Amino acid sequence: MIKKVYYLYIIGFILFSLFSYLFIDGNFFYLDFLFTGIALHDRVLVSLVYLFFIIFFFLMYYFLIRDIKKVPELIKKNIFLTVFAMLVLLFSYPTMISYDIFNYAATAKVAFGYKENPYIVMPIELKNDSMLRFTQAANKIALYAPFWILIGALPYFLSLGNYLVLILLFKFVAVLAYFGCLYFIYKISKSYDAVVYFGLNPLILIETFVSAHNDTVMMFLALSSFWLLKKRKILMAGFILALSVLIKYSTIVLALPFVIVVINNFQKLKINWEKIYFYCFVLLFLIFILSPIREEIYPWYSIWPLSFLVLTRKKNLIYLYSFLCFLLMMRYIPYMLTGNNFGLTPIIKSSVTFVPTIIVAIYLLVNKKLLKNN
């Protein structure tokens, strides 16, 4: 049974990659020969298909983590099929549900192509540049911290001016960070369960392999920092954590548990690492749920807390968080249906995300199951 589930999961992502090409922007002239307009003119149909995929993925994910002990061996036996599915997903259309990767490319072009300060010059100021036809948020200065701008130099120069190659290289950066996260999750936890909880989560796979968000890079650095901290390499750990902060600032909250560990090290006190990882989860979750103060909660922000939650043994909490991830992926549907983020759309998004999560969380708390170790 578990083997069939895994095959279905992989096949589903291959089909999802093909489905992503229905969302090609007609202004994206590099692939305009594939433009169908279906995502614009058949919104109900596209939304229903997306809904089916998300329900399907999370059902398969649930069956896999329910029999989690069998999954690592299953992956080893089907490594070629797994790699093939990931490569197909890597070549999916990147702005199916988010335009961030186009913004990464635009910022890199401003900084390294035009040699302008991206914190002062907006892409829209680059008169007659062809990328302005499809770049979203072209009327904004760089949205990310300096280290992410610096990372963008490598894809930009390796692309040799080819925009499609540039986009693909940004995807490679995100995917390499994904595997880096898996590596350090295992190195820290010594648990394949933790790797599976994170690595097969549909939100993680879609937001990394399709949308290529830099949050995966940020959390790769944060996880590697805490692995170094566990090895008592404090200076190097602090430096790596600083680089993580200099991608998106959110991981600045990890300075608190970091300092707690350093103080305990100097006092030669025994460190309860699972508590430290739980504190990291809580702090990142607080930043995550407070993000609407700035704009809104984006599904890919949930990568932050999950990176540390999987290091704990709180299985029920991981299940609840996976349910939240499912609901977060549903947030895209109101926009798919309406084509805008105004009116009732934000209210529907918030209701879909938080009302069911709060109800389930209260039930687990009342029954004293939520924070139990498993």
Side-chain angles (χ1 to χ4, degrees):
M1 175 63 180
I2 190 70
K3 190 174 182 179
K4 289 180 180 178
V5 168
Y6 191 67
Y7 286 160
L8 286 171
Y9 197 55
I10 287 176
I11 291 168
F13 274 112
I14 293 172
L15 294 175
F16 188 75
S17 182
L18 296 174
F19 172 65
S20 71
Y21 281 88
L22 296 182
F23 292 82
I24 288 178
D25 186 337
N27 293 314
F28 190 58
F29 50 84
Y30 297 97
L31 295 176
D32 59 358
F33 62 96
L34 294 174
F35 175 71
T36 62
I38 292 176
L40 295 174
H41 306 303
D42 295 294
R43 291 185 177 278
V44 174
L45 174 63
V46 168
S47 300
L48 287 173
V49 174
Y50 174 82
L51 174 64
F52 168 80
F53 271 119
I54 297 305
I55 293 173
F56 173 79
F57 289 145
F58 276 93
L59 277 176
M60 296 301 102
Y61 176 66
Y62 168 73
F63 289 129
L64 288 170
I65 62 176
R66 189 183 64 179
D67 295 319
I68 200 165
K69 297 298 180 186
K70 300 177 184 178
V71 175
E73 193 61 33
L74 188 62
I75 294 173
K76 289 177 185 176
K77 288 181 179 178
N78 296 277
I79 189 66
F80 293 111
L81 180 60
T82 305
V83 170
F84 173 73
M86 287 186 167
L87 284 173
V88 172
L89 197 58
L90 174 64
F91 285 94
S92 58
Y93 182 65
T95 60
M96 172 186 178
I97 50 180
S98 168
Y99 278 82
D100 276 10
I101 196 169
F102 281 0
N103 296 330
Y104 301 160
T107 300
K109 193 168 187 180
V110 170
F112 306 107
Y114 287 91
K115 296 181 174 54
E116 298 284 357
N117 184 340
Y119 294 108
I120 297 174
V121 177
M122 297 179 290
I124 202 169
E125 296 178 58
L126 308 175
K127 303 297 184 184
N128 301 319
D129 194 295
S130 58
M131 70 176 179
L132 297 177
R133 289 174 57 181
F134 49 80
T135 300
Q136 303 292 308
N139 60 337
K140 295 182 180 179
I141 58 172
L143 302 172
Y144 307 104
F147 188 56
W148 179 248
I149 307 298
L150 187 60
I151 288 174
L154 187 60
Y156 181 80
F157 288 116
L158 288 178
S159 71
L160 300 176
N162 186 306
Y163 196 88
L164 281 178
V165 174
L166 176 59
I167 293 298
L168 186 59
L169 288 172
F170 269 112
K171 277 203 169 196
F172 272 119
V173 170
V175 170
L176 286 174
Y178 163 85
F179 286 109
C181 286
L182 298 188
Y183 174 79
F184 283 109
I185 285 170
Y186 179 74
K187 293 290 285 185
I188 291 170
S189 67
K190 301 298 181 186
S191 166
Y192 283 113
D193 291 8
V195 174
V196 171
Y197 283 134
F198 183 87
L200 292 186
N201 185 302
L203 181 147
I204 299 292
L205 289 169
I206 292 170
E207 299 293 8
T208 301
F209 282 81
V210 179
S211 301
H213 289 291
N214 59 10
D215 303 75
T216 312
V217 182
M218 180 177 74
M219 296 319 300
F220 157 66
L221 292 169
L223 287 166
S224 61
S225 169
F226 274 79
W227 178 75
L228 288 166
L229 186 60
K230 199 171 182 179
K231 295 290 183 181
R232 297 177 183 269
K233 298 179 180 180
I234 295 172
L235 289 178
M236 180 59 71
F239 175 71
I240 298 298
L241 182 59
L243 293 182
S244 174
V245 173
L246 288 174
I247 286 182
K248 220 170 190 176
Y249 303 125
S250 305
T251 46
I252 187 67
V253 297
L254 297 180
L256 180 57
F258 189 97
V259 169
I260 291 172
V261 172
V262 171
I263 291 172
N264 285 350
N265 266 324
F266 279 123
Q267 294 179 347
K268 297 184 178 178
L269 299 174
K270 186 177 180 181
I271 298 168
N272 185 329
W273 282 102
E274 187 169 338
K275 276 191 175 180
I276 293 296
Y277 303 141
F278 183 69
Y279 294 155
C280 291
F281 160 73
V282 170
L283 290 168
L284 288 167
F285 185 73
L286 286 173
I287 295 296
F288 165 61
I289 62 173
L290 290 173
S291 55
I293 294 173
R294 185 183 66 87
E295 197 164 352
E296 71 168 288
I297 283 183
Y298 294 114
W300 57 90
Y301 288 0
S302 63
I303 296 171
W304 315 340
L306 184 61
S307 303
F308 282 92
L309 176 59
V310 297
L311 300 177
T312 72
R313 292 180 294 145
K314 303 184 187 303
K315 193 170 183 178
N316 286 332
L317 186 54
I318 292 172
Y319 276 13
L320 176 62
Y321 198 85
S322 299
F323 178 59
L324 174 61
C325 289
F326 164 70
L327 297 174
L328 285 166
M329 294 307 291
M330 304 290 269
R331 288 175 66 88
Y332 292 115
I333 294 177
Y335 177 79
M336 285 183 188
L337 280 169
T338 64
N340 67 71
N341 280 310
F342 308 106
L344 290 176
T345 301
I347 298 171
I348 296 171
K349 281 183 175 183
S350 297
S351 301
V352 165
T353 305
F354 296 111
V355 172
T357 305
I358 291 169
I359 292 171
V360 176
I362 291 172
Y363 169 79
L364 292 173
L365 283 169
V366 168
N367 289 276
K368 299 179 181 179
K369 294 180 179 180
L370 185 56
L371 299 180
K372 285 178 65 177
N373 285 353
N374 302 88

